[in-house]
Amino acid sequence: MAIAKTHKAKTHRAEISPRQFTSGQNHGQQQWVETPLQAFANARLLLNENARPGDKTSPVIATHVIECLLERAQYITAKLNTTGVETGDFTYNGYITRAAKLSASPGFSWLSSELIWQQYGRRVASTPIALSAAYPAKGSLATVVAPCDGLIWLGDLSLLNPAGNPDVDPYAQYTKFAVLEFGAPFNDGGIGALVQPLIGERIYGTLTPNWQG
């Protein structure tokens, strides 16, 4: 009898599991809710969406602002130098907390405290616009993909102002950042469909210190 009651209790908990209500995303059709990591976000990224996904030499058709919680992982030495990871870089990994898609040349609006966010927990996906016959629109929805280049502002986000002034925090790092991977280790489907809506899409990339751009 005790075994039967235990089994029943476990079944009941599974029926009301919050994961059933936060997963099941179909490529951005249903909006994700704010993740518990939002309060701990420490960085904003400005990333280029290229006309040919993953081809950083193709024209930039849009930029994506991603606010995230990042943690420094490793310093890259000459022995660890490889494609997309240069000597002197630092690798960072963490989770996306919210995102927005802007024009190809957004100025400093991406650092504005009044930025209007379009998506919680993951990259924004939208219908692409064809630039020309050489760069036609592909697929119903598109987003920024890895590898992609951009900038990072790593500092106290509460200090940002409406004008998007990057100098508001003298201790912040404002430099080059390149994303090497989104979504790992589980990506979009399977267990990732359960985990990602709870804590956000995972992001991994490299920061170039002392960059003069």
Side-chain angles (χ1 to χ4, degrees):
M1 182 64 69
I3 295 176
K5 287 184 178 180
T6 302
H7 175 72
K8 183 177 180 180
K10 288 183 178 179
T11 302
H12 179 66
R13 284 197 296 269
E15 288 173 352
I16 63 173
S17 169
R19 295 182 179 183
Q20 295 188 27
F21 302 98
T22 54
S23 61
Q25 287 299 99
N26 293 318
H27 303 287
Q29 294 178 2
Q30 178 184 346
Q31 187 175 8
W32 287 9
V33 298
E34 182 174 333
T35 77
L37 299 180
Q38 178 58 56
F40 306 103
N42 60 354
R44 279 194 190 179
L45 306 177
L46 181 69
L47 304 175
N48 295 329
E49 180 182 346
N50 298 97
R52 290 196 182 102
D55 179 4
K56 295 187 291 185
T57 64
S58 63
V60 176
I61 59 175
T63 55
H64 289 247
V65 185
I66 292 176
E67 202 164 271
C68 48
L69 169 62
L70 291 180
E71 178 183 16
R72 196 178 78 183
Q74 190 175 22
Y75 173 72
I76 302 302
T77 65
K79 184 182 294 186
L80 299 174
N81 190 319
T82 185
T83 304
V85 182
E86 302 293 336
T87 301
D89 286 352
F90 290 95
T91 60
Y92 277 77
N93 60 70
Y95 297 92
I96 296 173
T97 59
R98 54 186 180 178
K101 185 174 181 176
L102 304 178
S103 67
S105 301
F108 284 102
S109 63
W110 68 287
L111 288 176
S112 173
S113 59
E114 299 181 350
L115 182 67
I116 297 175
W117 300 97
Q118 302 165 17
Q119 177 69 53
Y120 283 120
R122 76 184 320 186
R123 294 162 286 165
V124 175
S126 60
T127 303
I129 299 175
L131 292 181
S132 65
Y135 299 101
K138 296 181 180 179
S140 57
L141 291 175
T143 187
V144 61
V145 300
C148 59
D149 289 334
L151 300 172
I152 184 173
W153 194 89
L154 182 65
D156 186 350
L157 297 177
S158 68
L159 297 178
L160 292 176
N161 59 28
N165 181 2
D167 298 326
V168 291
D169 183 357
Y171 301 102
Q173 285 185 278
Y174 179 47
T175 187
K176 181 181 177 182
F177 193 87
V179 175
L180 303 177
E181 188 175 36
F182 286 108
F186 301 115
N187 292 327
D188 203 36
I191 195 172
L194 300 177
V195 175
Q196 288 194 156
L198 295 178
I199 58 176
E201 188 176 18
R202 195 160 176 82
I203 185 170
Y204 174 78
T206 61
L207 178 151
T208 301
N210 304 316
W211 174 74
Q212 300 296 322

